[in-house]
Amino acid sequence: MKQLTRWLLGVGVVLGARLPDVAQTQPGEQAQVYTVTNDGAGGNFHLPQVRLANTAVARRINRQLLGLVTDYSSAIDSTASPRRQLTQLARECCYDEESRSWLAAGSGLTGMTYEVLLNQNYLLSFQFQREDQGLAQPGTSHLTFDLRTGRLLTLAELVADAPAQLERRLGYAISRRLHDELANVVANYGDDSTMIAHVAQLYGISEWNTTPQAALRLDMGNGSGGDPYESRLHLTEFALRPNALLLFYSVGMSRLNFEFLPDETYVFPYTRLQPRPLLQPIAQASASKKK
């Protein structure tokens, strides 16, 4: 009897204890993302589509996602299912009607793949990589949606930092990275001045000194002049991760030079930005995880 009493008291303590708070996901706060692919042996199209409680918003997002590839063709039946549209696109790029066979590489846009970078707090951010003539291209493209409305968001709607300031910070980061990359080339090809000069030209560096202190001076100057990369920057290409804003800068070069291709992604933690209300919940969640 005493054992039964102690057991009942123990159960009462457990039931009466306050359970830890668990964050609840609100309807529509996250999208259900699924992949649509093309039929047939040609093409490599893997496009995201979303499901949301608000079907009108989901349709708006899905049309924009499909448009990434279907807008390249006027022969696509926009009333067909997404899979059917991708199959039509694959046949157009990669099927030879005369020989009635699929081409090994295809022509023009032959594929698209994607990655979900962020899907929380009513924000959905994608990264896409396209294939041309069967070959993956080095640069990526990005779309970020408001899951409440289905609108594509601009950077100015997410951060309050002045565009000129962000461009300057990105320009300095690009300059530092390219000088570091050139220093690696010098380390690997130190006896080949022609190769070093060639890579410097690819990076748009007309003069260089590969010591860290000199590279820093080249990056920062005396603070009065503009950054050499600033005029080439466009802040329309961005994406979101749970802990940072991503900005991008691709160095154009032929496939023969891809061994010298630097990473195009530049990471700006939310703690070093001024998030607007749309982005503040994600920035606050990221800061809480670091504590």
Side-chain angles (χ1 to χ4, degrees), residues 262-278:
D263 186 357
E264 67 168 355
T265 306
Y266 294 83
V267 180
F268 291 78
Y270 296 133
T271 53
R272 299 183 60 191
L273 297 168
Q274 302 174 54
R276 290 194 187 275
L278 275 175

Side-chain angles (χ1 to χ4, degrees), residues 221-240:
N222 59 11
S224 60
D227 183 84
Y229 298 93
E230 204 171 320
S231 61
R232 313 180 204 175
L233 303 181
H234 303 283
L235 297 180
T236 53
E237 196 67 47
F238 72 92
L240 302 177

Side-chain angles (χ1 to χ4, degrees), residues 129-202:
Q129 185 163 40
R130 62 176 286 156
E131 295 179 9
D132 289 324
Q133 297 180 323
L135 298 174
Q137 299 304 300
T140 54
S141 58
H142 309 83
L143 296 177
T144 298
F145 293 95
D146 182 344
L147 293 179
R148 295 181 180 90
T149 64
R151 286 193 313 107
L152 271 176
L153 293 171
T154 64
L155 185 56
E157 293 176 285
L158 295 165
V159 296
D161 302 73
Q165 183 186 51
L166 280 178
E167 288 174 358
R168 191 171 299 111
R169 290 171 63 184
L170 177 58
Y172 289 150
I174 293 168
S175 184
R176 285 193 296 271
R177 178 170 296 175
L178 295 185
H179 280 89
D180 288 344
E181 292 288 337
L182 185 59
N184 291 334
V185 173
V186 171
N188 294 325
Y189 297 89
D191 57 347
D192 190 341
S193 59
T194 301
M195 177 64 76
I196 295 170
H198 172 65
V199 176
Q201 184 178 26
L202 291 175

